[in-house]
Amino acid sequence: MSSTQQQQLQLKIKYLKLKRINELNNNLRNELGRERITASNACLNSINYIQTTKDYTLPEIWGHPQPNSNHFIINSNMSSLQQRHQNNDTSNGCCTIM
C-alpha cells in the first residue's frame, strides 16, 4: 500500500469511529431526556389507578359484578340467544352445537 492509501484508510477509520461516538452521544442524550420517576412514585401511581378505576378482577376492592352487567356482551343478542335456547329453536342460528 502506498502512503496516500494508508492515510485515506486511516481517515476512513477515524471517520467511522467519530460517527459511532456521535451516535452513542445522541443515544445518551435521548436517554437523558426521558421522563423518570422513582419506584415509590410509580407504586403510588399504580395504587391510585387501582383505587379509582373499577376492575372486577380485583374483587377485594370492587366486589363482584352484577349478573347481567357484562359490557362485552350485547344484551339484545344475549336475550335472543336465551329465548332460542329455551324454545329449542335453531333455525335462525348459524351454528349447531352437538
Side-chain angles (χ1 to χ4, degrees):
M1 258 192 202
S2 67
S3 65
T4 57
Q5 287 178 338
Q6 282 183 338
Q7 287 176 347
Q8 287 178 347
L9 182 61
Q10 288 177 353
L11 284 175
K12 286 182 182 181
I13 290 172
K14 287 180 183 181
Y15 173 75
L16 290 174
K17 285 182 180 180
L18 177 64
K19 185 177 175 182
R20 192 175 314 144
I21 289 171
N22 283 334
E23 287 175 4
L24 178 62
N25 194 17
N26 287 334
N27 290 341
L28 290 173
R29 277 197 184 119
N30 290 338
E31 186 72 24
L32 185 62
R34 284 189 190 167
E35 180 184 352
R36 298 184 184 275
I37 60 172
T38 60
S40 58
N41 283 341
C43 290
L44 289 174
N45 286 342
S46 296
I47 291 169
N48 185 34
Y49 179 80
I50 289 169
Q51 289 178 343
T52 58
T53 305
K54 271 193 175 181
D55 184 1
Y56 291 114
T57 60
L58 302 169
E60 297 83 16
I61 297 173
W62 296 107
H64 295 282
Q66 296 299 321
N68 291 325
S69 67
N70 187 348
H71 63 277
F72 293 109
I73 296 177
I74 300 171
N75 290 334
S76 62
N77 287 344
M78 188 62 179
S79 61
S80 65
L81 287 174
Q82 288 174 348
Q83 287 174 353
R84 270 192 257 147
H85 177 67
Q86 289 173 353
N87 297 335
N88 291 329
D89 182 15
T90 58
S91 62
N92 292 334
C94 67
C95 305
T96 303
I97 299 174
M98 301 177 105

